[in-house]
Amino acid sequence: MMMFEKGGPVVWILLAYSVLGVSIVAAQYLQLMLRKRAKLHLPIEQWPQGGELRIVEQLTQACDAKGHGAELRAAAAHHIYDEMRPMEAGIKTVSLLANTAPLLGLLGTITGMIKAFQVIESAGGKVDAMALAGGIWEAMLTTGIGLAVAIPLLILIHFWESALTRYHWQLQQAAALVLNDSEQAALWQQESITGAI
């Protein structure tokens, strides 16, 4: 508690940054990790309900309605985006918190040094080191806390983005199953028409 009293209002803001950032990352990362993943080498009937199965079902319907080709690829990209968007919610917020935390720490450093120089000025230049300690303490403390908030948030963002990349790849692989089948069916149909002529 003494740390918050000595550090001033900037330390309280950094504490709020830390709580908010860790809460967002924990909620999203856990949600992402707890999703049931389809084993893509198994038949689709054995896949659990989840993003991969939804992608395949939506693309199968789109294939029946739109046929093959560029429209189906566009539909795949759209459905993958829809699956990814809730998982990415909050990443910009946490990134903003992680990037501005050191700047807030620097702001605390400046305010602490201003206090220290005000003490020197009010004492007419004859200052005891103890009188300066409060301002210097605030200056160093806020810098340290700013970095202590930013570094873990940046590491957590890295793990979150890695998990998102793996999930995105999984969705792309699921979509590729339908797209490849669709393209093979289109080629077979074209060959049949060519052969009939």
Side-chain angles (χ1 to χ4, degrees):
M1 205 60 177
M2 184 183 80
M3 199 164 53
F4 294 109
E5 291 169 9
K6 293 277 189 185
V10 172
V11 173
W12 288 101
I13 295 169
L14 288 168
L15 176 65
Y17 266 42
S18 180
V19 170
L20 180 62
V22 169
S23 299
I24 292 171
V25 173
Q28 290 293 78
Y29 189 75
L30 284 174
Q31 183 181 356
L32 193 57
M33 290 294 99
L34 294 175
R35 282 185 172 251
K36 291 182 179 176
R37 301 283 172 89
K39 292 185 171 69
L40 299 179
H41 64 278
L42 295 176
I44 292 171
E45 297 78 28
Q46 294 180 19
W47 290 6
Q49 284 296 324
E52 298 93 341
L53 188 58
R54 278 192 297 275
I55 293 282
V56 168
E57 289 170 349
Q58 290 165 339
L59 287 179
T60 303
Q61 291 171 359
C63 186
D64 295 339
K66 297 178 181 176
H68 317 287
E71 287 186 3
L72 190 60
R73 289 196 174 280
H78 175 73
H79 293 308
I80 289 171
Y81 172 77
D82 284 346
E83 286 291 330
M84 291 296 297
R85 190 173 48 185
M87 299 291 99
E88 294 171 338
I91 201 161
K92 287 185 179 177
T93 302
V94 178
S95 182
L96 177 71
L97 296 175
N99 287 314
T100 57
L103 296 175
L104 271 175
L106 182 60
L107 176 64
T109 301
I110 299 302
T111 57
M113 294 309 289
I114 288 169
K115 286 179 184 176
F117 284 114
Q118 283 175 336
V119 168
I120 294 171
E121 182 185 33
S122 65
K126 297 175 183 174
V127 171
D128 181 24
M130 289 298 291
L132 291 174
I136 295 171
W137 171 261
E138 180 180 335
M140 296 298 103
L141 185 65
T142 54
T143 302
I145 291 177
L147 292 172
V149 168
I151 292 168
L153 285 180
L154 288 170
I155 292 169
L156 289 173
I157 288 171
H158 171 75
F159 283 112
W160 184 6
E161 287 176 338
S162 296
L164 284 171
T165 301
R166 287 191 301 273
Y167 185 55
H168 188 260
W169 181 87
Q170 182 92 350
L171 294 176
Q172 285 180 322
Q173 294 302 307
L177 295 174
V178 177
L179 293 172
N180 291 341
D181 287 348
S182 169
E183 286 172 3
Q184 286 177 356
L187 284 171
W188 181 80
Q189 188 177 22
Q190 190 176 15
E191 286 173 4
S192 299
I193 293 168
T194 307
I197 295 170

